[in-house]
Amino acid sequence: MASRKLTRPLYAQPTLKVARQLIGKRLVRRIGGRRLAGIIVETEAYMGPTDVASHSRHGEQSRAAPMFGKPGYAYIYFTYGMHHCFNVVTEPPGSGTAVLIRALEPTEGLALMRRHRQTGNEREITDHELTNGPGKLCQALALDRTLNRTDLLSNVLWLEEGIKVHPGQVGTSARVGIREGREHPWRFYLKDSRFISRHPNY
DNA sequence: CTCTCGATGCGCT
DNA sequence: GCGCATCGAGAGA
């Protein structure tokens, strides 16, 4: 069957271009023989060692080492003592750049995602809460540090073609949750989507 | 809806 | 020790 998987040359492009292009693509996770998937509706670009908000500012020997590796690989890190964030490495090796995937519209495997997201005996979470944040989508898709450095051309975790998105449907804003670097409009989101993590004008 | 705050592990200075 | 590319609960409006 024809694969709609995104290829390495796409990831090797300039990071801002990749961040914008990934809006509307489908993120797929294969686990236990099942497919979990969602349409990417929010991304952020991390622009390399000179970007004051990027982990890669600490250099190639830091935990951000995967950002200096080949494009089309995963950089997954653990933060706030309890959450993971998933990034796609971009540009040629040595760049220290990546795109953070911040939110998805869940499309396949919602029941299993909900099980991954359910913590205690509290009320069942809504579809809307499943993947509308970087930590939430990692929990829903069972993405953790064991998948750091995974090749996104593998059969465990990958991106493929999704929905058609026109340039006018993509909005930009400052990146979320950073102290420095707010002056750059390096967050991209699908304007119509109710699955983004925060509303415009952040 | 908005805001505030605590949880909790660890990389880095 | 400090400070996180976060989340969810609780309070108030």
Side-chain angles (χ1 to χ4, degrees):
Chain A
M1 50 187 267
S3 176
R4 306 268 288 157
K5 206 171 278 187
L6 304 188
T7 60
R8 194 130 7 240
L10 185 148
Y11 297 116
Q13 297 176 93
T15 304
L16 291 174
K17 186 171 174 182
V18 177
R20 181 179 283 274
Q21 285 195 145
L22 292 188
I23 301 296
K25 299 296 190 283
R26 188 182 312 271
L27 174 62
V28 186
R29 162 79 157 123
R30 185 105 187 148
I31 181 169
R34 281 191 274 192
R35 242 174 90 107
L36 301 178
I39 298 295
I40 296 171
V41 298
E42 181 178 341
T43 63
E44 283 177 359
Y46 285 87
M47 301 293 285
T50 59
D51 177 356
V52 293
S54 176
H55 291 172
S56 57
R57 72 189 184 282
H58 297 298
E60 202 159 348
Q61 306 308 318
S62 70
R63 72 171 156 167
M67 293 178 73
F68 294 88
K70 285 170 65 177
Y73 279 72
Y75 166 45
I76 299 177
Y77 66 89
F78 182 67
T79 191
Y80 289 104
M82 60 188 88
H83 298 297
H84 295 273
C85 288
F86 167 63
N87 298 255
V88 172
V89 175
T90 59
E91 303 194 26
S95 66
T97 54
V99 172
L100 171 68
I101 307 301
R102 283 197 57 90
L104 306 175
E105 172 169 350
T107 56
E108 297 173 55
L110 303 237
L112 182 52
M113 288 187 196
R114 183 167 287 106
R115 239 172 295 157
H116 290 155
R117 291 273 293 122
Q118 216 69 43
T119 49
N121 317 340
E122 71 273 15
R123 85 174 203 291
E124 185 168 276
I125 65 172
T126 63
D127 290 359
H128 176 261
E129 299 168 297
L130 241 26
T131 51
N132 65 336
K136 297 178 192 179
L137 75 88
C138 282
Q139 196 179 4
L141 300 193
L143 305 182
D144 61 26
R145 280 167 295 185
T146 65
L147 291 169
N148 192 22
R149 302 174 183 272
T150 298
D151 187 352
L152 299 177
L153 274 71
S154 72
N155 294 314
V156 175
L157 181 63
W158 69 92
L159 276 67
E160 57 183 40
E161 289 302 331
I163 61 171
K164 177 76 178 172
V165 174
H166 294 93
Q169 295 177 263
V170 179
T172 63
S173 81
R175 292 171 291 179
V176 176
I178 57 170
R179 301 185 58 82
E180 295 181 278
R182 299 285 312 277
E183 66 275 24
H184 300 111
W186 289 344
R187 170 177 178 242
F188 299 86
Y189 60 93
L190 188 59
K191 288 179 182 172
D192 310 335
S193 180
R194 58 187 255 269
F195 294 91
I196 59 177
S197 67
R198 308 172 95 105
H199 280 93
N201 294 350
Y202 172 79

